[in-house]
Amino acid sequence: RLTSEWFLDAIERSGVTTIRMPGGSWSNSYSWSHCELIQEDGCLSLEAVRPIEYAQLLTATGLEGVWTVSVNETAEGAAALVAYFNADVDDERPLGVDRNGVDWGLVGDWAKVRAFNGHPEPVGIELWEFGNEIYGARAEAAGEGCFEAGWEDAWTCDGRDYVIGDDEHDGYLAVRSAMLEVDPNIEVGAVGVPDPTAWSGWGEGVLSTARDDIDFYVLHVYGFERSPSTDDAIGRAPVRVPDLIGRARDSMATDIPIAVTEYNLVSGESRDTELTMPSAANALFTAGMLGEMARAGVPIANHWNMANGTTNSGTDYGLVDADTGEPFPVFTAFEVWKNAGPELMAVEASGEVSGVSLYPTRRSDGSVHAIIVNARSQTEVFLESTGEIGTPTEVRAWTIGGTDGRDLVESEATATVVDDRVRITMEPASLIEIEFEPDG
């Protein structure tokens, strides 16, 4: 799948700039060295993507990597992984012997494995995170105080233990230090939660013990625990995202960057009983969520996920069908945001515009690109600008339609200049993209 033309084309058309691996909860069960060396006794699945295949995908797409290190990895094993992706073959620094008695050899040894398997040059992965949703560790493995219905293969659900480690496990501080010894240019994220008091005070524990050593703080943000109504789905993001990001940032009392390394509409696939994730409602939800994360100053965000496949409940988390590459409605949200510029412009709303979210951006050539998420029955809004936004030249619009109201269909929208204001007419429950040409 990683080398298929449709998959690479979908990545390019989506406009994504980072690819996160090895994937959610699998990250904590995935032994990268066993899988890379094709050792069945230790590799979660020999059908899983190997590090060499990930390296080749990043090279083929030119995108940046985000790797989630297993929370069960030793500090030396994590350092060897950095060496595998980022080191030169002639680097003779020793990695050391880990707490389990494994000698990880020299930094260059793992670069030689990468080169032998077909990738002689370093990959240069800069973004790493230590563990996936560790606060959800299974109680039978992690002990008292953990969530009975836990899902993560982890050894603790205590934020302080996660940072410091214990007699049998290396924590975030030791792992990060070992990784930085190999490549001081990387950044290592620590697992967090929006509400620092939730999950038995997980965030409080992480921040109080690792605050000065956190390169970025990892949040996973899902809109709903179960299938929402269409109205709730398309109207929730502009309200929920700033609240979640704001609570996390307030708890830090510092400027640690926030990375939302997973986000989507429904957190549990078995609870998406109405199959809203592959429906048109998710397109409007995600377009708004992308806008609100940008507005909240989130520098890193990874959608869960690109190509998932149909789950047991019949839903699908992906942007595209995992077998055919056919895009789901949510893909349009990415295509629209791909056209945005690097500068998000400030917006103040007044009058009866409840349910209409505006995300204008300025491009490097001075032109303005605006995205509107109309979550309600509003059919007309006016834009007034304190600066130059130019003349609207192209308008594209989509709305929820189809025989069962699940499809995203092209719709009518107009943007015209009336008395020095831009008058926009649109369909209810719609996504609109407007291009402005600079005047003069």
Side-chain angles (χ1 to χ4, degrees), residues 326-346:
E326 188 70 22
F328 291 117
V330 66
F331 194 87
T332 301
F334 280 78
E335 290 183 303
V336 167
W337 271 102
K338 180 183 179 182
N339 296 326
E343 178 192 348
L344 186 65
M345 302 166 69

PDB file of all heavy atoms in Angstrom, residues 326-346:
ATOM      1  N   GLU A 326     -10.394   5.759  -2.821  1.00  0.00           N
ATOM      2  CA  GLU A 326     -11.514   6.672  -3.019  1.00  0.00           C
ATOM      3  C   GLU A 326     -11.636   7.583  -1.798  1.00  0.00           C
ATOM      4  O   GLU A 326     -11.714   7.121  -0.665  1.00  0.00           O
ATOM      5  CB  GLU A 326     -12.810   5.887  -3.206  1.00  0.00           C
ATOM      6  CG  GLU A 326     -14.012   6.722  -3.596  1.00  0.00           C
ATOM      7  CD  GLU A 326     -13.929   7.277  -4.995  1.00  0.00           C
ATOM      8  OE1 GLU A 326     -13.177   6.710  -5.812  1.00  0.00           O
ATOM      9  OE2 GLU A 326     -14.617   8.275  -5.267  1.00  0.00           O
ATOM     10  N   PRO A 327     -11.652   8.889  -2.003  1.00  0.00           N
ATOM     11  CA  PRO A 327     -11.694   9.794  -0.846  1.00  0.00           C
ATOM     12  C   PRO A 327     -13.055   9.808  -0.173  1.00  0.00           C
ATOM     13  O   PRO A 327     -14.090   9.749  -0.833  1.00  0.00           O
ATOM     14  CB  PRO A 327     -11.367  11.161  -1.457  1.00  0.00           C
ATOM     15  CG  PRO A 327     -11.761  11.054  -2.891  1.00  0.00           C
ATOM     16  CD  PRO A 327     -11.516   9.627  -3.274  1.00  0.00           C
ATOM     17  N   PHE A 328     -13.041   9.894   1.154  1.00  0.00           N
ATOM     18  CA  PHE A 328     -14.260  10.122   1.912  1.00  0.00           C
ATOM     19  C   PHE A 328     -14.552  11.624   1.916  1.00  0.00           C
ATOM     20  O   PHE A 328     -13.664  12.433   1.604  1.00  0.00           O
ATOM     21  CB  PHE A 328     -14.107   9.597   3.334  1.00  0.00           C
ATOM     22  CG  PHE A 328     -14.033   8.105   3.430  1.00  0.00           C
ATOM     23  CD1 PHE A 328     -12.891   7.480   3.910  1.00  0.00           C
ATOM     24  CD2 PHE A 328     -15.105   7.314   3.024  1.00  0.00           C
ATOM     25  CE1 PHE A 328     -12.812   6.101   3.994  1.00  0.00           C
ATOM     26  CE2 PHE A 328     -15.035   5.926   3.105  1.00  0.00           C
ATOM     27  CZ  PHE A 328     -13.891   5.323   3.583  1.00  0.00           C
ATOM     28  N   PRO A 329     -15.761  12.036   2.291  1.00  0.00           N
ATOM     29  CA  PRO A 329     -16.066  13.471   2.304  1.00  0.00           C
ATOM     30  C   PRO A 329     -15.072  14.310   3.091  1.00  0.00           C
ATOM     31  O   PRO A 329     -14.762  15.442   2.708  1.00  0.00           O
ATOM     32  CB  PRO A 329     -17.465  13.511   2.922  1.00  0.00           C
ATOM     33  CG  PRO A 329     -18.100  12.221   2.500  1.00  0.00           C
ATOM     34  CD  PRO A 329     -16.973  11.217   2.558  1.00  0.00           C
ATOM     35  N   VAL A 330     -14.539  13.779   4.192  1.00  0.00           N
ATOM     36  CA  VAL A 330     -13.616  14.542   5.031  1.00  0.00           C
ATOM     37  C   VAL A 330     -12.358  14.953   4.267  1.00  0.00           C
ATOM     38  O   VAL A 330     -11.695  15.932   4.618  1.00  0.00           O
ATOM     39  CB  VAL A 330     -13.249  13.733   6.297  1.00  0.00           C
ATOM     40  CG1 VAL A 330     -12.458  12.479   5.946  1.00  0.00           C
ATOM     41  CG2 VAL A 330     -12.483  14.590   7.297  1.00  0.00           C
ATOM     42  N   PHE A 331     -12.018  14.240   3.204  1.00  0.00           N
ATOM     43  CA  PHE A 331     -10.836  14.575   2.410  1.00  0.00           C
ATOM     44  C   PHE A 331     -10.920  15.995   1.857  1.00  0.00           C
ATOM     45  O   PHE A 331      -9.909  16.685   1.723  1.00  0.00           O
ATOM     46  CB  PHE A 331     -10.691  13.563   1.265  1.00  0.00           C
ATOM     47  CG  PHE A 331      -9.350  13.593   0.582  1.00  0.00           C
ATOM     48  CD1 PHE A 331      -8.289  12.849   1.064  1.00  0.00           C
ATOM     49  CD2 PHE A 331      -9.144  14.367  -0.538  1.00  0.00           C
ATOM     50  CE1 PHE A 331      -7.051  12.867   0.436  1.00  0.00           C
ATOM     51  CE2 PHE A 331      -7.914  14.402  -1.183  1.00  0.00           C
ATOM     52  CZ  PHE A 331      -6.858  13.644  -0.690  1.00  0.00           C
ATOM     53  N   THR A 332     -12.141  16.433   1.556  1.00  0.00           N
ATOM     54  CA  THR A 332     -12.326  17.776   1.005  1.00  0.00           C
ATOM     55  C   THR A 332     -11.843  18.850   1.969  1.00  0.00           C
ATOM     56  O   THR A 332     -11.318  19.893   1.555  1.00  0.00           O
ATOM     57  CB  THR A 332     -13.802  18.007   0.639  1.00  0.00           C
ATOM     58  OG1 THR A 332     -14.203  17.033  -0.322  1.00  0.00           O
ATOM     59  CG2 THR A 332     -14.031  19.395   0.067  1.00  0.00           C
ATOM     60  N   ALA A 333     -12.009  18.622   3.277  1.00  0.00           N
ATOM     61  CA  ALA A 333     -11.532  19.596   4.265  1.00  0.00           C
ATOM     62  C   ALA A 333     -10.032  19.808   4.131  1.00  0.00           C
ATOM     63  O   ALA A 333      -9.525  20.929   4.269  1.00  0.00           O
ATOM     64  CB  ALA A 333     -11.886  19.130   5.676  1.00  0.00           C
ATOM     65  N   PHE A 334      -9.302  18.743   3.847  1.00  0.00           N
ATOM     66  CA  PHE A 334      -7.857  18.852   3.682  1.00  0.00           C
ATOM     67  C   PHE A 334      -7.501  19.536   2.372  1.00  0.00           C
ATOM     68  O   PHE A 334      -6.577  20.354   2.318  1.00  0.00           O
ATOM     69  CB  PHE A 334      -7.220  17.461   3.765  1.00  0.00           C
ATOM     70  CG  PHE A 334      -7.054  16.980   5.167  1.00  0.00           C
ATOM     71  CD1 PHE A 334      -8.125  16.466   5.881  1.00  0.00           C
ATOM     72  CD2 PHE A 334      -5.824  17.060   5.800  1.00  0.00           C
ATOM     73  CE1 PHE A 334      -7.978  16.051   7.182  1.00  0.00           C
ATOM     74  CE2 PHE A 334      -5.666  16.644   7.104  1.00  0.00           C
ATOM     75  CZ  PHE A 334      -6.743  16.135   7.802  1.00  0.00           C
ATOM     76  N   GLU A 335      -8.204  19.194   1.308  1.00  0.00           N
ATOM     77  CA  GLU A 335      -7.943  19.836   0.023  1.00  0.00           C
ATOM     78  C   GLU A 335      -8.164  21.347   0.102  1.00  0.00           C
ATOM     79  O   GLU A 335      -7.415  22.135  -0.489  1.00  0.00           O
ATOM     80  CB  GLU A 335      -8.824  19.222  -1.052  1.00  0.00           C
ATOM     81  CG  GLU A 335      -8.447  17.790  -1.422  1.00  0.00           C
ATOM     82  CD  GLU A 335      -9.295  17.254  -2.546  1.00  0.00           C
ATOM     83  OE1 GLU A 335     -10.534  17.246  -2.398  1.00  0.00           O
ATOM     84  OE2 GLU A 335      -8.729  16.834  -3.578  1.00  0.00           O
ATOM     85  N   VAL A 336      -9.199  21.747   0.836  1.00  0.00           N
ATOM     86  CA  VAL A 336      -9.488  23.172   0.982  1.00  0.00           C
ATOM     87  C   VAL A 336      -8.388  23.864   1.791  1.00  0.00           C
ATOM     88  O   VAL A 336      -7.892  24.936   1.411  1.00  0.00           O
ATOM     89  CB  VAL A 336     -10.867  23.364   1.649  1.00  0.00           C
ATOM     90  CG1 VAL A 336     -11.057  24.798   2.105  1.00  0.00           C
ATOM     91  CG2 VAL A 336     -11.976  22.975   0.672  1.00  0.00           C
ATOM     92  N   TRP A 337      -7.986  23.252   2.893  1.00  0.00           N
ATOM     93  CA  TRP A 337      -6.950  23.868   3.732  1.00  0.00           C
ATOM     94  C   TRP A 337      -5.580  23.832   3.065  1.00  0.00           C
ATOM     95  O   TRP A 337      -4.694  24.633   3.394  1.00  0.00           O
ATOM     96  CB  TRP A 337      -6.898  23.201   5.110  1.00  0.00           C
ATOM     97  CG  TRP A 337      -7.829  23.861   6.073  1.00  0.00           C
ATOM     98  CD1 TRP A 337      -9.064  23.415   6.475  1.00  0.00           C
ATOM     99  CD2 TRP A 337      -7.620  25.101   6.741  1.00  0.00           C
ATOM    100  NE1 TRP A 337      -9.623  24.309   7.349  1.00  0.00           N
ATOM    101  CE2 TRP A 337      -8.758  25.357   7.537  1.00  0.00           C
ATOM    102  CE3 TRP A 337      -6.580  26.027   6.750  1.00  0.00           C
ATOM    103  CZ2 TRP A 337      -8.881  26.496   8.325  1.00  0.00           C
ATOM    104  CZ3 TRP A 337      -6.692  27.165   7.527  1.00  0.00           C
ATOM    105  CH2 TRP A 337      -7.840  27.379   8.313  1.00  0.00           C
ATOM    106  N   LYS A 338      -5.380  22.920   2.139  1.00  0.00           N
ATOM    107  CA  LYS A 338      -4.113  22.881   1.405  1.00  0.00           C
ATOM    108  C   LYS A 338      -3.889  24.191   0.656  1.00  0.00           C
ATOM    109  O   LYS A 338      -2.748  24.613   0.439  1.00  0.00           O
ATOM    110  CB  LYS A 338      -4.120  21.710   0.425  1.00  0.00           C
ATOM    111  CG  LYS A 338      -2.847  21.562  -0.400  1.00  0.00           C
ATOM    112  CD  LYS A 338      -2.960  20.417  -1.390  1.00  0.00           C
ATOM    113  CE  LYS A 338      -1.689  20.303  -2.221  1.00  0.00           C
ATOM    114  NZ  LYS A 338      -1.792  19.213  -3.221  1.00  0.00           N
ATOM    115  N   ASN A 339      -4.971  24.850   0.254  1.00  0.00           N
ATOM    116  CA  ASN A 339      -4.865  26.091  -0.509  1.00  0.00           C
ATOM    117  C   ASN A 339      -4.636  27.326   0.361  1.00  0.00           C
ATOM    118  O   ASN A 339      -4.449  28.423  -0.163  1.00  0.00           O
ATOM    119  CB  ASN A 339      -6.150  26.294  -1.329  1.00  0.00           C
ATOM    120  CG  ASN A 339      -6.344  25.202  -2.367  1.00  0.00           C
ATOM    121  OD1 ASN A 339      -5.378  24.694  -2.923  1.00  0.00           O
ATOM    122  ND2 ASN A 339      -7.600  24.834  -2.621  1.00  0.00           N
ATOM    123  N   ALA A 340      -4.687  27.154   1.667  1.00  0.00           N
ATOM    124  CA  ALA A 340      -4.569  28.299   2.570  1.00  0.00           C
ATOM    125  C   ALA A 340      -3.144  28.848   2.585  1.00  0.00           C
ATOM    126  O   ALA A 340      -2.183  28.154   2.242  1.00  0.00           O
ATOM    127  CB  ALA A 340      -4.989  27.905   3.978  1.00  0.00           C
ATOM    128  N   GLY A 341      -3.016  30.101   3.010  1.00  0.00           N
ATOM    129  CA  GLY A 341      -1.709  30.730   3.150  1.00  0.00           C
ATOM    130  C   GLY A 341      -1.136  30.530   4.541  1.00  0.00           C
ATOM    131  O   GLY A 341      -1.805  30.000   5.440  1.00  0.00           O
ATOM    132  N   PRO A 342       0.104  30.958   4.773  1.00  0.00           N
ATOM    133  CA  PRO A 342       0.765  30.733   6.059  1.00  0.00           C
ATOM    134  C   PRO A 342       0.340  31.686   7.173  1.00  0.00           C
ATOM    135  O   PRO A 342       0.624  31.422   8.338  1.00  0.00           O
ATOM    136  CB  PRO A 342       2.245  30.919   5.728  1.00  0.00           C
ATOM    137  CG  PRO A 342       2.242  31.877   4.580  1.00  0.00           C
ATOM    138  CD  PRO A 342       1.018  31.550   3.775  1.00  0.00           C
ATOM    139  N   GLU A 343      -0.319  32.778   6.830  1.00  0.00           N
ATOM    140  CA  GLU A 343      -0.684  33.781   7.847  1.00  0.00           C
ATOM    141  C   GLU A 343      -2.189  33.755   8.101  1.00  0.00           C
ATOM    142  O   GLU A 343      -2.988  34.096   7.233  1.00  0.00           O
ATOM    143  CB  GLU A 343      -0.275  35.181   7.383  1.00  0.00           C
ATOM    144  CG  GLU A 343      -0.670  36.285   8.367  1.00  0.00           C
ATOM    145  CD  GLU A 343      -0.521  37.675   7.780  1.00  0.00           C
ATOM    146  OE1 GLU A 343       0.099  37.814   6.705  1.00  0.00           O
ATOM    147  OE2 GLU A 343      -1.046  38.624   8.396  1.00  0.00           O
ATOM    148  N   LEU A 344      -2.593  33.334   9.294  1.00  0.00           N
ATOM    149  CA  LEU A 344      -4.005  33.337   9.669  1.00  0.00           C
ATOM    150  C   LEU A 344      -4.384  34.745  10.114  1.00  0.00           C
ATOM    151  O   LEU A 344      -3.768  35.313  11.024  1.00  0.00           O
ATOM    152  CB  LEU A 344      -4.257  32.343  10.800  1.00  0.00           C
ATOM    153  CG  LEU A 344      -5.724  32.132  11.199  1.00  0.00           C
ATOM    154  CD1 LEU A 344      -6.510  31.491  10.067  1.00  0.00           C
ATOM    155  CD2 LEU A 344      -5.806  31.278  12.455  1.00  0.00           C
ATOM    156  N   MET A 345      -5.386  35.321   9.478  1.00  0.00           N
ATOM    157  CA  MET A 345      -5.782  36.700   9.752  1.00  0.00           C
ATOM    158  C   MET A 345      -6.785  36.743  10.902  1.00  0.00           C
ATOM    159  O   MET A 345      -7.582  35.826  11.091  1.00  0.00           O
ATOM    160  CB  MET A 345      -6.378  37.320   8.493  1.00  0.00           C
ATOM    161  CG  MET A 345      -5.410  37.308   7.312  1.00  0.00           C
ATOM    162  SD  MET A 345      -6.191  37.651   5.720  1.00  0.00           S
ATOM    163  CE  MET A 345      -6.604  39.381   5.922  1.00  0.00           C
ATOM    164  N   ALA A 346      -6.737  37.819  11.675  1.00  0.00           N
ATOM    165  CA  ALA A 346      -7.636  37.972  12.815  1.00  0.00           C
ATOM    166  C   ALA A 346      -9.059  38.226  12.334  1.00  0.00           C
ATOM    167  O   ALA A 346      -9.284  38.858  11.303  1.00  0.00           O
ATOM    168  CB  ALA A 346      -7.171  39.115  13.700  1.00  0.00           C
TER     169      ALA A 346
END
